[in-house]
Amino acid sequence: MPGRQDARYTLLSSLAGFFAAHPEMEVSTPMLTVTAAALTARHTAMTTLRTALNTASNNRVAAGVTANTAEDAMRDALSGFISELGGRITDDDSQWEIFGLNIPADPDLPLAVAGLTLTALGGGKLKGEWPRAKRARRYRRFLQIVGTDADFVFIEPNVTGSGSTLQTLLENLPVGATVRLKVIAANDAGEAAASNVAEGVVT
């Protein structure tokens, strides 16, 4: 039996032709079928599979070319957009971060926290949680009790969840009060814009 697929494919065709010319040598039993018809059917099935494989391979190559072309076009478009943006806002404008870009004047600033949530735990406690912000090394948390605080109040670092953790436990809050929380990511270069404001009712 040939080791290569191409050779086995050719052999099937040759054997089908041989048994078609010498039908007296065909074998057809419950255990073994070696006939021109059977060999031709196998050769046809193999032809179909080889064609499908070649088509899939060609499609994969074409898809790769299309993806590369699209990526190049996207990079060109983004490059043009960044250049256009640079002509409309200053290098220290915080709006750079709205588009997921570093502020040119402060390229090492962290991105703002996104997705801050506040959950009531009962017993006068709330838990704030947020995903890690890119380049952040620490987080500053600000709390406002609606109707009591005129504005947000900085939570001192000795409260659970200070520093670089991604959650904060707020305790000893007045039951029934509406509480708001926001978080500001920071590193040695400075601070990001404030996160979304999360709101919860103390239970």
Side-chain angles (χ1 to χ4, degrees), residues 53-174:
L53 179 61
N54 289 336
T55 299
S57 179
N58 292 335
N59 288 343
R60 180 181 63 81
V61 172
V65 172
T66 300
N68 289 337
T69 301
E71 181 179 356
D72 290 341
M74 179 187 69
R75 289 182 182 276
D76 289 343
L78 286 175
S79 179
F81 170 75
I82 292 172
S83 295
E84 176 70 17
L85 191 62
R88 294 177 178 272
I89 62 177
T90 61
D91 286 351
D92 59 355
D93 196 315
S94 63
Q95 291 186 87
W96 287 97
E97 293 183 337
I98 295 176
F99 301 99
L101 301 170
N102 294 338
I103 300 175
D106 296 297
D108 295 325
L109 285 176
L111 295 185
V113 168
L116 172 66
T117 61
L118 195 56
T119 305
L121 301 179
K125 300 178 183 179
L126 291 173
K127 181 172 71 172
E129 296 179 285
W130 59 91
R132 187 176 303 279
K134 187 176 182 180
R135 294 188 300 277
R137 294 293 178 268
R138 55 188 177 275
Y139 301 90
R140 301 180 67 212
R141 290 140 312 109
F142 295 82
L143 183 71
Q144 180 185 30
I145 300 176
V146 178
T148 299
D149 301 321
D151 202 351
F152 284 89
V153 179
F154 173 61
I155 301 175
E156 295 297 331
N158 62 351
V159 176
T160 302
S162 62
S164 60
T165 57
L166 301 177
Q167 62 179 17
T168 184
L169 180 62
L170 309 172
E171 301 180 275
N172 302 316
L173 297 170

